[in-house]
Each structure stands twice: as C-alpha cells, then as structure tokens.
Amino acid sequence: MTRPIEALISRANLQHNFTVVRRLTPGARIMAVVKANAYGHGAVQVAGALAPFADAFGVASLEEAVELRDAGIDQPIVLLSGVFGPTEMREVARYGLGTVIHCAEQLQILLDTQLNQPIDVWLKLDTGMHRLGFTPDGFCRAAARLRTAEQVAKCVFLSHLACADKPAAELNEGQLTTFRNTVDKPGVRRGEGLSLANSAALLTRPDMHFDWVRPGVMLYGVNPLSAEVPLPEGVDLRPVMTLRSRIVALQTVPAGEGVGYGEAWRAPGILNAASASPSRIAVVAAGYGDGYPRHARNGCPVLVNGRPAAIAGRVSMDLLALDLGDNHQAKVGDSVTLWGEGLAVEAIAEYSETIAYELLTGVNQRVMFSYE
Ligand SMILES: *Cc1c(COP(=O)(O)O)cnc(C)c1O
C-alpha cells in the first residue's frame, strides 16, 4: 500500500465541458488553455483527450509547448506570454508553434530572427487590464510592421479582460470598445482573427466571442463567474479532478480539548460536563504538502463515504483532521473526497480565501494521478 491520496481525472467530464463551450460559441474557434500543466490536471493527458476537438492549445511557455509537441500533439499551440528571450524565437518556429507578441522587445526579437518557417503571431492589445499588451498606438505600429514581416504566417489580434467574472463591471464595456476601435482602424485589421473571451466572457458575453475563444478553467468544470452571477440556463459543467484520500486514524476527543497544531479547533461542549459527548475525529492522509490549502477554515466541507464532514483544526503538511459529527460510522481506510465529484472545488476555495484556479494548479507531484 502507498500513501492513499490520489487525483482522479475524468476525460469524459473534460470532453463534456468542451462540448458545452462548442455549443455556446457556434462560429468561433476554440483555443483550449492548458497552461500550468492544464491547471494541474496533466497537460499531455488533457491535450490528448481534447486533441480531436480543439482548434488550438494555449500554454504559458516554450517548455510547456514542447512537452505537448513531444507527446504528439500536432494542433496549433500558442505561447500566451510569448518568448522570454531571443533564443526562444527560433525554437518557436522549429516546433511549429505560434506566439503572443505583447511588447516592443518581443516584436524586435521576432524581426531580428531568421526563422526556418513563418509563424503565427498573436498580437496583444492592452485594453485596460494593464498587465500585458501594446497601447493602441503601439499596437497599430506593431501591426503595420508585422504585415510585411517575412517571419509572420498569420496574425491574430487579442486582448484579455480584467473583470470578466463580473459581467456588469464597467471596465468590460471600456475594454470591448477599445478592442473594437483599435482593431478596426484602417490599415490595421488583417482579417485573420480576433480574440477576447476567456471562460467567463464566453459564458456571459456572446458579443465578445469574435473568431477565437480561449476557455481555461471552465474546461476543468469550474464555474468562472463571481458568486452572485448565475450560470446561463442549461450550462452544466462537470468536475474533471476528484481529489481523494483515506482515513488513517480515528480519535475520540473529549469536550473542550483541541485537535492539531495550535489547538485551532476544540471539541464542543463543556469540559468534564457529564452531558457533553466526545467528538469523533477522523485523520486523513492529505495536507498542504499535497496542495490542499493550509488556510482551509474550520468547517470547510469534506465528504466521508459520500457524506458531509468538516475540517477541524489546522491543516498540516501530511494530514488533516475532520469532525465527523453525529452521523458517522467511519472506519480507518474509508474514502474521503476533498473536492471534485459531489463537492465543488469552488466551495473549498471559498473556505480558504482563494480561487479554484489556485487549488487545482497547486496539486503536486506527491499526489498519484489516474485517468479514466
Ligand atoms: C489563462 C488565460 C486564459 C484562460 O482563462 P480562464 O479564466 O481560465 O478561462 C485565456 N486567455 C489568456 C491570455 C490566458 O492567459
């Protein structure tokens, strides 16, 4: 027996979520975003499962792209942050990749490099997020230079939204207007594609779909919208990763006594009172050393044999403790679902002051992955 924590990845649910994207965006092409090891799910396996359906893949670095090429993925692959130095541009062409160009330095690298074949360039406009991208003026100049550059096969124009999870945010309108106005300037538009929408915009803003949509987190079954925003009617996203482990110890803790480091949880009831019944605590082989969030608060939901239990006390590196409540007949070896099927990772994120993206990408190598 090995340490029992494992991540089960459902290819069927991944493919289902992809079909949700396809149904919502007829007429658009789909770049499946698989950066950061496919949001922690395994880039090669995820890209393999989506390869028959996706029009392109998006990654964060040359290394991530090469991993997919070496695994036989032959769709277009785009470096979403572009290259990080002059020597990478030749590799981009050698591996038949595409790249974002978001700044003057990257543009210069491209123009200064002789490539063995022209590459697809995704020219990025900053429409108000102020992270990556050219100003509208710089964008127009860059587009004009790319138009005649022999290194360029086709050129897509893209931008990225800062507040797409809140469709009513004012910035969305400003970003859309800046995008439209800039790419429609005479002499700028090459007609080879426009792209603005991530998962959240794809779900809520058909007017932002353009030619290419770039879903990431929703492919993995996570609702990208802010909690107060409802998912559109009929959208059914299914969890792709189920993180689970097993009970390795049981404790009976008298009222008033603490569990775990710092006694951050105490068994309810009055110390030594005859009426107070002790608490049943299950200790599980999972901790922040696996990627489970240390900041998960007391009460954070967990499933034991499919029934609800709650985190009790501080999560430690290899272990965490659960309050089984009144109802459990749990035994050592019983199955514990930390998130996934039956328990949305978004709920764990909420109890941990973070977002589902961080939890999924944080699951690390100590966890055994299996694919079904
Ligand atoms: C990560 C990323 C996406 C995907 O975003 P989600 O919110 O996960 O859908 C899309 N576009 C760019 C440029 C990205 O970096």
Side-chain angles (χ1 to χ4, degrees), residues 142-150 152 155 185-190:
R145 302 214 38 202
L146 290 173
R147 186 195 281 277
T148 56
E150 61 183 20
V152 180
C155 188
K185 275 201 176 130
V188 169
R189 185 163 183 172
R190 290 179 61 139

Side-chain angles (χ1 to χ4, degrees), residues 312-330:
R314 223 164 264 163
V315 172
S316 54
M317 188 183 292
D318 312 317
L319 298 165
L320 54 79
L322 305 178
D323 178 5
L324 292 171
D326 298 333
N327 300 323
H328 281 288
Q329 302 301 314

Side-chain angles (χ1 to χ4, degrees), residues 123 139 143 155-159 179 183 188-190 193-195:
L123 188 64
F139 182 89
C155 188
V156 180
F157 295 156
L158 83 158
S159 188
F179 189 61
V183 300
V188 169
R189 185 163 183 172
R190 290 179 61 139
L194 300 175
S195 178

Side-chain angles (χ1 to χ4, degrees), residues 220-253:
Y220 308 100
V222 173
N223 175 358
L225 302 174
S226 184
E228 72 282 3
V229 183
L231 269 177
E233 193 92 20
V235 170
D236 145 46
L237 298 174
R238 300 182 186 162
V240 175
M241 180 195 294
T242 294
L243 184 67
R244 64 185 193 191
S245 189
R246 293 185 184 279
I247 294 175
V248 295
L250 290 161
Q251 301 281 351
T252 302
V253 178

Side-chain angles (χ1 to χ4, degrees), residues 100-102 122-126 132-134 139 158-160:
V100 161
I101 288 190
H102 65 72
W122 292 62
L123 188 64
K124 189 158 192 176
L125 172 68
D126 176 12
L132 297 181
F134 288 92
F139 182 89
L158 83 158
S159 188
H160 197 51

